Amino acid sequence: MLPLVDAQVRLVLLSHVAMQLADARPGDLQAAGIEHDQLVRLRQLSALELNRLAAMRDLTISIAVDTAALKAGLRAVGLLNEAKALETYFIRHGASWQLVSALFKVRRKVTLKRRRELGAWRPAGHVPRPDYATRERIYRAWLGIDDPSPRVRYYRLHQAFAQLPIAALEAVVREFEAER
């Protein structure tokens, strides 16, 4: 358990507990370590009295953290940050709004707005494709990437052909996939 010593945090927490447990079942109160008559009395306190109670150091108020849920939450935040960074990479390196939409579930307007914010200007229309020999190398590299995630595959493909915008790589991949 992590003890809370800040009087303002304790005040907010006591107010929150009083409100949340108002309609709680007896088992919920017991699990929280509060008796029914204590909750009734806590709810009857004025704001000044509640503030005084929160300032009392004799009253131990602490929180418990579900470490498994925290671990899962931290992992989820990391994955979200990674996805956002990858989305930004795609926008900065000339991915079409269609590809960004397909890979990141982002609407066209949001992609265009982010492109403006990032200063990632892209000419309108189709992106010119490289010569045929380069297109063949691009597609062989595409086939050589064994990761099942299209996001990762396009990222790695762009790493190998960084001089080209991602939209050109996408067009090449689509061209060769259509021939298969």
Side-chain angles (χ1 to χ4, degrees):
M1 296 268 197
L2 178 66
L4 300 174
V5 293
D6 183 275
Q8 293 301 314
V9 172
R10 292 164 56 94
L11 175 61
V12 169
L13 188 59
L14 282 171
S15 298
H16 180 74
V17 165
M19 296 305 294
Q20 289 296 312
L21 294 179
D23 299 323
R25 296 183 309 255
D28 294 338
L29 292 174
Q30 207 169 26
I34 298 174
E35 296 173 14
H36 179 69
D37 60 324
Q38 290 174 326
L39 178 62
V40 170
R41 179 67 182 115
L42 183 62
R43 293 205 58 194
Q44 292 172 346
L45 294 178
S46 69
L48 180 61
E49 292 169 326
L50 196 58
N51 194 30
R52 286 181 184 147
L53 179 62
M56 292 180 181
R57 295 289 176 205
D58 297 348
L59 174 61
T60 301
I61 301 174
S62 57
I63 62 169
V65 177
D66 179 346
T67 56
L70 179 61
K71 183 178 180 179
L74 291 172
R75 186 174 53 253
V77 167
L79 290 172
L80 287 172
N81 289 343
E82 184 180 303
K84 200 65 165 167
L86 201 54
E87 177 190 329
T88 299
Y89 179 90
F90 274 70
I91 291 172
R92 278 197 172 126
H93 291 92
S96 69
W97 70 265
Q98 294 95 334
L99 184 64
V100 174
S101 177
L103 297 179
F104 300 98
K105 308 298 184 240
V106 177
R107 292 187 335 266
R108 178 180 180 265
K109 287 183 178 182
V110 173
T111 300
L112 299 177
K113 179 180 178 245
R114 296 235 19 242
R115 193 177 283 155
R116 278 192 307 275
E117 289 170 353
L118 295 169
W121 180 82
R122 229 187 116 228
H126 293 286
V127 176
R129 292 186 198 135
D131 60 81
Y132 192 77
T134 304
R135 292 198 312 256
E136 283 183 325
R137 283 196 337 264
I138 289 169
Y139 192 65
R140 278 195 306 274
W142 173 260
L143 293 175
I145 301 169
D146 60 355
D147 196 293
S149 168
R151 288 179 185 180
V152 174
R153 290 184 80 188
Y154 275 110
Y155 175 77
R156 288 185 183 162
L157 187 63
H158 187 256
Q159 294 295 295
F161 296 92
Q163 73 280 10
L164 296 172
I166 293 174
L169 301 174
E170 174 193 4
V172 169
V173 169
R174 268 190 310 200
E175 172 190 342
F176 278 87
E177 292 288 323
E179 292 175 4
R180 289 182 110 197

